[in-house]
Structures are given as C-alpha cells and as structure tokens.
Amino acid sequence: MTATKKARKAVFLDRDGTLIRERGYLKDPARVVLEEGAAEAVNRLNRCGFAVVLVTNQSGVARGYYTEEDVEAVHRRIAALLADGHARLDGVYYCPHYVDGEIEAYRQACSCRKPESGMLLRASEELGIELAGSYMIGDKLTDMEAAGREGLTGILVKTGYGESEWKACLRGPAPAEPDRVAADLSEAVDFLLWVERDLASPETGGGRRERTACRWSSKWVSAAFLEQCLALHRRRRETIVFANGVFDLLHAGHVGYLQAARDLGDVLVVALNDDPSVRDLKGPGRPLLPVEERIEIVSALACVDYCVVFRERRVDRLLERLRPDFHAKGTDYAEETVPERETVIRYGGRVRIVGPRKEWATTDLVERIRGRVWKSS
C-alpha cells in the first residue's frame, strides 16, 4: 500500500498592499515594489515548510483596464524580485471577474473573487494544502472573510488599505474581523511562526515561563482567536489573568494596576471598552483617544500579552467566554463590590484586588489639563 502524502499548511497572501505596494489597478511590471521585508518574510515561510500561495482579486481585467497577459507579466516580475531575496511562491491564483465589468467574458458573479473562497479551495486541491490550520494575510476585510469561510486564521496587515479597514472594523459590526492585526507582512510572519513554534509547544520547563517583552506593534486579537490561544496556554499549565478598563490617557495608576495583575500569573489579557461604551460610561467628549490608539498604547507595556475589545458597559460575557483564572481589579474596588464577581465565581475563577492605592483618575487629569489650557488662553 502506498502511503498518502500528508497535506501541508499554507500561508495565503493577498497581493496589492500586502506583498507589494498598493498602486491601484497595477498594469506595468516596472512599477512593482515589494513591501519592505516581504522577500525575507516569504523566505522564512519557505524554510519552515509552509506552502506560500498568492491569491488576488484582479477586477481590472473585467473593467477593461488591463489584460490577463498584463496580470501574468506583473506576477513574473514579483517572482523575480522574490527570487532575488531567495524566496518563492508555491502557487499564484487570481480572479479576473467582476459582476459589473465592461468586458463581457469576465462580467460575472463567481466563486473565486474574495470574499468567496474559490481560490483557496482550488489551491488546496491542486497543491495538497490542509486549509484547517493554515493562514491568510491581507490588507482588506474581504481577505479576512474568505479566511473565515474555510477556517483559516486571518491576519490583517496595516499596509495598503489595512489601516483604514482596521479602524472601520473597530467602529462597529463588520462582515468579518481579523483574528490578528500586524504592522506589515514581516510582523505577521513573526507572529504566526511564534504561534506555531512557541505557543503550540507543550513544554513549560516545569515552572513559570521566562517573561520577555513582546515584539508585536499591537497585541490585539479577536475574542475567537484569543480563546484558541488561551487553550494552548492552559495546555502549558499557565495561569491566565484578566484585567479590563477604558485606559484613556494611560497614567501611572493604570501601569501599576496592570503590572500587579500580571504578577498574579503567567499570561495577562487586557480588555478595553470600545468607543461607544466609553461614551456611555464617561459621557460626551470621551474617550479622548480612539480605541485603536488605546490598544497600541496598552500593547507597548511588556506586562501585557493580549488585548481584546468589548462593546458592553460590563465585561461579564467576555469573562464567561474566556474563563480566566483571575479577574484582577484595581484598588478603587473591594472584592465584594466588583460588578462581575458573581460571574467569575460561577465559572470557578477568583477575583483579586491589585495595584497601588487609588491616587490617579483620568477624569481628574483631563480637568487639570483643561484648567491649564483655560488659564493660558
């Protein structure tokens, strides 16, 4: 009997704004520029055994802006630039269709145009790829939706259209949300290799793991992906701590609270209120900083491992979903006054009051700033 070859994982890459610079209906191969660090990132994936597959919507063909021959010439140029960096693509798939296109042969609704997953399925069949456990990296939420349809982990990069897509996702319900956000392709590859090699390793060394500063520009993850990560931490017998707040104008009290929370265990998850729930809690004019900026500021703290956003006034539903070992609150609470105490006790967790004595308040800080501005005007 001949053994069946085991399917391998893949990293699917969007093209424009992810692998190469966004040019807007790119026709000329001479205008192709790889995103910074892209060749090295692809090389690392090649060396780690991933299939690296390009999947790109090219509606410019249907719109009459360029031909399929032009698309293929651009792809040859990309392959040459990657080869200069000792990197390669294992497959290239593109969709030339568009339902409102000018060219009749391509004017159609299809199953290959993202967010449909036809290109992923075709690559899986032709290249022997196991979609479960694979990754999709792109700069649009349509990339993330395609990933979600087939159970891939979706990583949104902030290059190309990614920054605006990320902000739109945080502003309210979207057709899909990423599992993770990264500054660029290089950081996205750093993260997924960390998940595959470090987080997925069951080895703990018999004690609390060494704490090292995280390199990620943002530690935000979706609640669904966070559940998966925490399951791996539990497999490593690591203690999970949960803290939450607005964190508008981060001050010394916030830092002391989060550092003390992390001292309770091995992994610290910080949940931040989204902007509408902050306005509901704090009133008009708040937050001073939008949630994407608050995420990046909290992410810069070495004691923080993950950030997640919640949209309610209270965090009970997220606690019930994640079930951390400890729910840490600041010293403006007593254990019996923590709003989510009953939820935590019900699932078997523990509430702890941590951090310095309450001497700072963002509201007081805002009033002091406003007072000084008023006096100087």
Side-chain angles (χ1 to χ4, degrees), residues 35-93:
E35 285 286 354
E36 185 174 355
E40 181 184 358
V42 174
N43 172 271
R44 293 175 66 201
L45 294 172
N46 295 151
R47 288 187 285 112
C48 289
F50 286 94
V52 184
V53 183
L54 191 70
V55 286
T56 176
N57 289 346
Q58 291 300 319
S59 68
V61 176
R63 296 173 193 267
Y65 299 159
Y66 45 73
T67 66
E68 288 197 67
E69 289 73 21
D70 295 322
V71 174
E72 290 165 1
V74 167
H75 290 162
R76 286 194 294 273
R77 178 59 178 163
I78 292 172
L81 291 174
L82 288 173
D84 288 343
H86 308 286
R88 73 178 188 280
L89 297 172
D90 296 280
V92 176
Y93 297 84

Side-chain angles (χ1 to χ4, degrees), residues 50-309:
F50 286 94
V52 184
V53 183
L54 191 70
V55 286
T56 176
N57 289 346
Q58 291 300 319
S59 68
V61 176
R63 296 173 193 267
Y65 299 159
Y66 45 73
T67 66
E68 288 197 67
E69 289 73 21
D70 295 322
V71 174
E72 290 165 1
V74 167
H75 290 162
R76 286 194 294 273
R77 178 59 178 163
I78 292 172
L81 291 174
L82 288 173
D84 288 343
H86 308 286
R88 73 178 188 280
L89 297 172
D90 296 280
V92 176
Y93 297 84
Y94 66 90
C95 171
H97 308 119
Y98 184 56
V99 70
D100 294 321
E102 294 294 324
I103 308 302
E104 184 176 357
Y106 301 104
R107 189 191 307 131
Q108 59 178 281
C110 65
S111 63
C112 55
R113 178 175 171 81
K114 294 177 290 185
E116 300 297 329
S117 57
M119 288 187 284
L120 306 183
L121 294 170
R122 182 179 165 195
S124 174
E125 181 178 349
E126 294 179 355
L127 302 177
I129 290 168
E130 179 63 51
L131 292 179
S134 290
Y135 296 83
M136 175 75 198
I137 304 175
D139 70 321
K140 291 185 177 179
L141 294 180
T142 49
D143 298 312
M144 303 301 102
E145 188 172 351
R149 292 184 181 199
E150 300 302 329
L152 281 69
T153 296
I155 304 177
L156 183 77
V157 290
K158 293 184 180 179
T159 48
Y161 292 104
E163 185 77 36
S164 59
E165 293 274 286
W166 168 228
K167 290 178 181 178
C169 183
L170 290 172
R171 295 291 177 267
E177 69 175 359
D179 292 306
R180 184 75 171 77
V181 174
D184 53 23
L185 178 58
S186 182
E187 184 178 85
V189 170
D190 283 343
F191 178 75
L192 75 85
L193 291 181
W194 174 77
V195 170
E196 293 286 325
R197 291 174 167 181
D198 187 353
L199 184 57
S201 170
E203 299 301 324
T204 63
R208 184 168 295 186
R209 63 187 174 91
E210 182 181 354
R211 297 179 180 181
T212 57
C214 184
R215 297 163 298 174
W216 326 127
S217 61
S218 171
K219 295 174 183 174
W220 179 91
V221 291
S222 69
F225 187 61
L226 180 55
E227 283 186 281
Q228 298 176 40
C229 292
L230 295 184
L232 293 173
H233 285 293
R234 290 188 178 97
R235 192 176 74 178
R236 293 161 60 97
R237 301 187 300 280
E238 293 174 340
T239 301
I240 297 161
V241 186
F242 182 101
N244 71 283
V246 172
F247 305 107
D248 197 15
L249 289 186
L250 193 73
H251 54 65
H254 291 142
V255 174
Y257 160 52
L258 294 177
Q259 289 175 330
R262 176 61 186 269
D263 285 339
L264 289 173
D266 303 294
V267 179
L268 177 60
V269 175
V270 179
L272 296 91
N273 293 80
D274 73 346
D275 293 348
S277 66
V278 175
R279 284 192 290 272
D280 190 29
L281 285 166
K282 305 293 185 179
R286 298 287 301 277
L288 298 174
L289 299 177
V291 67
E292 66 270 14
E293 294 184 21
R294 292 185 279 124
I295 289 169
E296 293 208 14
I297 291 169
V298 171
S299 294
L301 298 176
C303 61
V304 176
D305 293 287
Y306 300 100
C307 291
V308 65
V309 171

